[in-house]
Amino acid sequence: MKIKVFADTICGWCYISHSRLLKAFSNFENISFDVEHKPFQLNPDMPKEGISRLDYLKSKFGSKEAAQPMYDSMLAEATKENLKFNLDKIQVTPNTCLSHILTKLAFTKKIGHQVLSEIYNSYFSKGKNIGDADVLISIGKFQNISEKEIIDSFSADKEISNVNKSDSIARSMGINGVPFFEINNKTYISGAQSSANLIEAIKVNL
């Protein structure tokens, strides 16, 4: 079964949905899932070096306090999935292009879920700057991807172009927020759905 997941690596709801999707898969032991990570950039104009999180919250929500109700809701859902978010540790809101490139590379090696999980965890739990190439190289190397292969991918104009192209395609499809799921090219689901809803969507396509 083919599943495309449009997501951004700094999207907390995407992290939650990633966890829920993996739980949904465990209910289908005899089904082979072909998951494709489709890069979406919540901040396509983000500088390469990112910006301070406080400045980001001010520009996007007006203030850190104004953003708090949304984050409180997200934290409550993360807790239900046993995901530990430490948002106060995050100092930089990064450009996510390189993290998408690493994720794509990992999926070609059949370790996409593991690497993506660690990218999310590094950002939301450890407060690491996942726009930093060295942080991402460490994540990839831990999963036995060679440093040279990662660096080569990061410096390839084609890979950077593909991330931007994926984002443009998503927006042309009317996708303005993530996560967004496309199942077998016929079922479309938007938002951080429960595992139960994802299970039902998969069943419809069996």
Side-chain angles (χ1 to χ4, degrees):
M1 182 176 292
K2 178 73 174 181
I3 300 180
K4 296 178 182 178
V5 182
F6 293 83
D8 199 2
T9 49
I10 59 162
C11 167
W13 294 108
C14 295
Y15 187 12
I16 292 166
S17 290
H18 175 70
S19 175
R20 290 174 175 172
L21 182 64
L22 295 183
K23 288 181 180 178
F25 287 166
S26 67
N27 288 266
F28 302 92
E29 295 181 0
N30 298 319
I31 302 297
S32 176
F33 293 99
D34 176 15
V35 178
E36 182 179 359
H37 174 77
K38 304 294 289 184
F40 186 91
Q41 297 178 87
L42 290 171
N43 308 294
D45 298 323
M46 180 65 68
K48 185 177 180 180
E49 67 277 9
I51 63 174
S52 80
R53 177 169 171 77
L54 186 57
D55 286 345
Y56 173 73
L57 293 177
K58 287 180 179 178
S59 66
K60 197 167 185 80
F61 300 100
S63 68
K64 181 179 180 181
E65 291 72 25
Q68 199 58 48
M70 186 275 289
Y71 284 115
D72 286 343
S73 176
M74 186 176 73
L75 289 168
E77 292 301 310
T79 299
K80 293 178 185 178
E81 301 303 316
N82 295 316
L83 301 175
K84 188 173 179 58
F85 281 26
N86 294 302
L87 301 183
D88 288 340
K89 286 188 175 183
I90 300 173
Q91 300 299 312
V92 175
T93 297
N95 181 301
T96 57
C97 183
L98 295 184
S99 63
H100 285 301
I101 291 173
L102 177 60
T103 300
K104 177 186 174 184
L105 176 61
F107 269 101
T108 67
K109 296 179 177 297
K110 311 300 183 185
I111 53 172
H113 295 307
Q114 296 93 315
V115 168
L116 183 55
S117 292
E118 186 51 37
I119 291 173
Y120 282 135
N121 183 57
S122 292
Y123 183 67
F124 287 102
S125 299
K126 301 175 183 177
K128 293 187 177 182
N129 179 3
I130 57 168
D132 186 311
D134 289 337
V135 170
L136 296 169
I137 289 169
S138 294
I139 292 171
K141 286 174 66 177
F142 185 76
Q143 295 292 339
N144 296 315
I145 304 176
S146 78
E147 181 171 348
K148 182 181 184 306
E149 191 169 6
I150 297 170
I151 292 173
D152 287 348
S153 293
F154 286 171
S155 60
D157 290 340
K158 179 182 177 182
E159 295 300 335
I160 296 170
S161 176
N162 283 342
V163 170
N164 294 327
K165 182 178 179 181
S166 175
D167 183 82
S168 296
I169 289 173
R171 294 179 191 279
S172 72
M173 293 170 59
I175 300 172
N176 295 308
V178 283
F180 186 91
F181 304 88
E182 179 183 311
I183 303 175
N184 273 356
N185 298 312
K186 63 179 182 180
T187 299
Y188 302 90
I189 306 173
S190 179
Q193 300 290 328
S194 66
S195 291
N197 285 353
L198 291 171
I199 289 169
E200 288 306 309
I202 290 170
K203 286 181 177 178
V204 167
N205 285 273
L206 292 178

